[in-house]
Amino acid sequence: MSQVFSDKVFYHIYALGMGNCAKRNDFACPAGDFFEKLAGRLDEMRALGCNALLIGPVFESTAHGYDTVDYYHVERRLGNNERFKEFCRLCHEKGFAVVLDAVFNHTGRDFFAFKDIQRHGYGSAYKDWYVNLDFSRRSAQGDCFEYEGWAGCKDLVKLNGDSGAVREYLFGAVKMWIEEFGIDGLRLDAADVLSKNFLDALGAFCRSIKPDFWLMGEVVHGDYAEWTRNGRLDSVTNYQMYKALWSCLNDQNMYELSYNLDREYNSERGMYRDSALYNFVDNHDVNRAVSALNKPEQHIHLLYGLLFTIPGIPSIYYGSEYGIRGVRSHNCDYELRPPLPPFGALPDFTAPGFDAGFIRTSITTFAKIRGQHPALQRGSYRQEFVANRQFGFWREYNEEKILIIVNSDFAQGFVSLHTIPAGEYESLTDGRVYHSDVLKGLQMPPCSILILRKK
């Protein structure tokens, strides 16, 4: 398994939302102070257990960040290059890796190359920078040509990643961000529709500058091995596991999670057993964790316990540690991307009916345990047992063996572990010691998790 970033716990920030920025860029506003204010929260994020930041689009854009206008300059609604450079320096000083959201599949309509094609039509020197331009008909937006947008969205114009000129421009930007800002990695937006040749070339280029540079791709469907094989990318977004994590709790069906873990990480036949995929329970595109769960009061603790003990790299989405609710509507992501202090008050949808303070305690506890035990960072996976509402699995690395047992039932759950090695097992949450004889007939409290290290 690639060891790059296996020790990381991410704090994922959608910057334009968290910073309460104007919905559209007027290209005239003074540089914002987002990074100075965010710097004041770094110690809080570190105390939560995070040691890496994934910051959603910071390049100059027209609206939501994914409609890029300039890859060489920081979004003015957030700040400027000098302010961001100082922020990156401070992050590294405090022990954070910095990963940026990179949108290389498409640009916004205000990008200089697209504007030139609007002005000069077929005579533009940039007409080969985009795919499927058709100068025989007009677009619905009034352009003298038709073009392809990402997923049919005409505000996101599909770049030609196989063009030498496009690669020179984009790779030049990457070089600048690595050498001048010291960034440690990129999350590649819409990686599932970027050409494999482009990804291979990008990977080789980045690692020629910084050998341990981390590349993670946004991939929803398909065989993730297509994007991680042969050193192409280090990781991809594990949407398959994301679904299983909350769904197995809602449906009281631990078989769903056990099936997916075995499929992905079985030490002999797992599809992704040699990859450290990027795990999450929510992000800027899907419902907040407490909104995804039917019974968040009982199950949020288990959700984060599983996130930090299954194979892969865990990520916390900004604000979810406060128990923020948020549901994606058909045409609006606002609830998923709200401002947070110091950029605004906590949203009104932060009261899920319980004191969310225990969520932060849970995250902090599980992150600390993961950080202290290599078996949870890079260990193999092996199932011990599974029932409808109970589940047990091993993580093992060198001599360290850790057994995780979950009871998702709202009542006491009986767990029988007849095959575990004899000896003593220490709970990593409270220090209590269990003998193997006790574990052969264990009554677990409702909605509980045990993380046991064999002594």
Side-chain angles (χ1 to χ4, degrees), residues 49-346:
C50 299
N51 57 5
L53 298 182
L54 169 58
I55 309 178
V58 301
F59 308 136
E60 187 91 277
S61 70
T62 300
H64 46 69
Y66 293 95
D67 48 351
T68 314
V69 171
D70 188 341
Y71 290 85
Y72 286 77
H73 287 89
V74 165
E75 168 67 62
R76 68 188 64 210
R77 289 171 287 175
L78 299 173
N80 58 30
N81 285 22
E82 288 305 311
R83 294 179 179 183
F84 184 61
K85 186 179 298 185
E86 173 59 22
F87 176 76
C88 290
R89 185 199 65 77
L90 183 61
C91 286
H92 290 134
E93 182 181 288
K94 290 182 176 290
F96 287 93
V98 178
V99 176
L100 301 184
D101 208 341
V103 190
F104 293 158
N105 178 67
H106 45 264
T107 72
R109 286 171 52 88
D110 288 320
F111 187 65
F112 79 93
F114 190 78
K115 300 293 283 185
D116 191 86
I117 301 170
Q118 288 176 317
R119 287 192 297 270
H120 300 107
Y122 190 79
S124 172
Y126 300 100
K127 67 178 182 295
D128 294 329
W129 279 44
Y130 295 97
V131 299
N132 298 329
L133 296 188
D134 182 354
F135 292 94
S136 69
R137 55 198 181 104
R138 300 181 69 87
S139 73
Q141 288 70 30
D143 308 296
C144 64
F145 56 93
E146 186 56 280
Y147 61 92
E148 180 180 337
W150 172 80
C153 180
K154 293 296 189 175
D155 288 336
L156 306 175
V157 193
K158 171 70 175 174
L159 274 171
N160 177 12
D162 293 324
S163 160
V166 169
R167 290 191 184 184
E168 182 179 3
Y169 175 87
L170 294 177
F171 289 13
V174 172
K175 186 178 191 310
M176 184 195 78
W177 291 107
I178 295 175
E179 293 183 343
E180 294 188 22
F181 295 78
I183 68 167
D184 304 285
L186 293 173
R187 173 218 184 247
L188 302 175
D189 183 67
D192 54 345
V193 288
L194 287 167
S195 80
K196 302 300 194 302
N197 287 336
F198 176 88
L199 294 174
D200 289 339
L202 176 64
F205 178 80
C206 292
R207 292 165 190 133
S208 71
I209 303 172
K210 194 170 188 175
D212 60 350
F213 195 76
W214 189 70
L215 288 173
M216 185 266 287
E218 181 198 22
V219 180
V220 179
H221 306 291
D223 180 356
Y224 296 153
E226 284 293 313
W227 286 272
T228 58
R229 65 165 43 104
N230 300 323
R232 178 172 286 156
L233 299 178
D234 296 292
S235 186
V236 299
T237 51
N238 196 349
Y239 270 92
Q240 295 166 17
M241 195 61 65
Y242 150 75
K243 162 63 168 57
L245 282 168
W246 59 264
S247 182
C248 76
L249 296 172
N250 281 351
D251 295 343
Q252 295 281 274
N253 178 16
M254 302 306 292
Y255 285 96
E256 179 180 5
L257 180 60
S258 70
Y259 170 84
N260 279 279
L261 281 168
D262 188 69
R263 174 179 176 270
E264 292 193 0
Y265 289 115
N266 181 286
S267 59
E268 295 180 356
R269 61 183 181 275
M271 297 174 67
Y272 315 130
R273 63 186 182 276
D274 296 323
S275 300
L277 300 184
Y278 182 85
N279 293 329
F280 55 95
V281 294
D282 49 11
N283 64 28
H284 63 299
D285 286 327
V286 299
N287 294 345
R288 291 274 180 171
V290 295
S291 294
L293 291 173
N294 293 339
K295 298 289 185 180
E297 299 92 338
Q298 289 82 16
H299 279 156
I300 194 72
H301 178 71
L302 299 187
L303 184 66
Y304 282 111
L306 288 166
L307 175 68
F308 280 92
T309 55
I310 65 172
I313 302 168
S315 174
I316 305 300
Y317 184 46
Y318 84 98
S320 285
E321 72 271 27
Y322 297 112
I324 291 176
R325 289 185 181 274
V327 176
R328 184 180 188 180
S329 68
H330 177 68
N331 58 1
C332 181
D333 295 319
Y334 173 75
E335 282 197 5
L336 308 179
R337 309 172 179 184
L340 286 188
F343 310 99
L346 282 172

Side-chain angles (χ1 to χ4, degrees), residues 346-363:
L346 282 172
D348 291 338
F349 40 91
T350 58
F354 60 94
D355 179 5
F358 83 93
I359 299 178
R360 295 189 291 281
T361 300
S362 294
I363 293 171

